[in-house]
Amino acid sequence: MELSRMPMLENPVRRKIIVTSTSSDSHIWNLVFLQLLLEEAGHEVANLGPCVSDDMLVSEALGRRPDLIVVSSVNGHGHHDGLRAINRLRRTPALARTPAVIGGKLGIGGPDPQRNQALLTAGFQAVFEGGRDDPEGLLALIDVLPSTVSA
Ligand code: B12
């Protein structure tokens, strides 16, 4: 869906969100898209950019204490990199419960329910690999998250 046609809340609750790629992924426009989508919905976004190591993700998340971490990967390694990253986050006590979602093109050959279930079991709140309705799904999920950003 085009950004201009996204349903926007009149008084959105502002969330602090990290948008990040995975360690191996150098694609950028997926991250720019997510940043614009979330900023236009009223949220505060830190876009960590491409090729973010697990160490950097943990350190940025500890420093920023986001309401949500949005991981995006399209290079086909996302299911592998994402699993490793969420395991690192969940093993870090201060980040063990920080909501995190992942999306994009996580493998090659299209969505794989088994692989996505493994990502959910490891600690992601949602996996978005379906396509057109994913941005709306992400915004709907964010609406029910608690916020740490004062109005
Ligand atoms: C441009 C491009 C590149 C550029 C990237 C330049 C840059 N710095 O950004 C370059 C040439 C560097 C590149 C390299 C590679 N690429 Co490339 N690339 C593309 C291409 C043509 C467009 C990507 C793009 O910018 N799309 C625009 C953005 C806005 O859309 P998007 O990425 O699809 O994201 C959308 C959704 O996926 C969704 N989304 C994404 N993440 C998330 C997260 C959440 C939470 C949600 C809700 C939604 C969401 O929202 C976005 C908007 O709808 C795609 C093919 C294509 N047409 O998609 C291949 C593609 C992504 N690349 C691919 C591959 C394989 C590679 C390489 C491995 C090639 C190689 N052998 O070297 C390398 C990987 C490099 C690396 N280390 O990651 C494959 C991935 C295969 C797969 N996953 O099935 C693709 C799909 C091409 C193909 N059909 O084979 N690539």
Side-chain angles (χ1 to χ4, degrees), residues 78-136:
H79 62 292
H80 184 71
D81 289 341
L83 198 56
R84 201 189 52 247
I86 193 68
N87 283 330
R88 268 299 295 282
L89 290 171
R90 295 304 176 236
R91 281 202 308 269
T92 305
L95 303 172
R97 280 195 264 283
T98 304
V101 301
I102 187 168
K105 298 178 178 72
L106 300 177
I108 50 171
D112 175 337
Q114 242 181 320
R115 188 182 65 207
N116 291 352
Q117 186 54 51
L119 291 165
L120 293 169
T121 304
F124 281 111
Q125 267 63 41
V127 179
F128 295 97
E129 212 183 359
R132 293 188 68 82
D133 295 336
D134 282 357
E136 285 165 316

Side-chain angles (χ1 to χ4, degrees), residues 19-124:
V19 168
T20 183
S21 189
T22 54
S23 56
S24 75
D25 200 321
S26 68
H27 294 85
I28 290 173
W29 295 108
N30 47 322
L31 307 175
V32 173
F33 170 83
L34 288 166
Q35 177 177 355
L36 291 175
L37 171 75
L38 297 170
E39 285 179 348
E40 288 196 13
H43 304 299
E44 181 184 314
V45 177
N47 181 347
L48 303 187
C51 294
V52 175
S53 69
D54 299 346
D55 281 349
M56 180 180 168
L57 175 58
V58 166
S59 133
E60 290 287 334
L62 284 173
R64 296 175 188 273
R65 295 305 173 102
D67 298 312
L68 175 68
I69 297 171
V70 177
V71 180
S72 170
S73 178
V74 296
N75 71 354
H77 300 280
H79 62 292
H80 184 71
D81 289 341
L83 198 56
R84 201 189 52 247
I86 193 68
N87 283 330
R88 268 299 295 282
L89 290 171
R90 295 304 176 236
R91 281 202 308 269
T92 305
L95 303 172
R97 280 195 264 283
T98 304
V101 301
I102 187 168
K105 298 178 178 72
L106 300 177
I108 50 171
D112 175 337
Q114 242 181 320
R115 188 182 65 207
N116 291 352
Q117 186 54 51
L119 291 165
L120 293 169
T121 304
F124 281 111

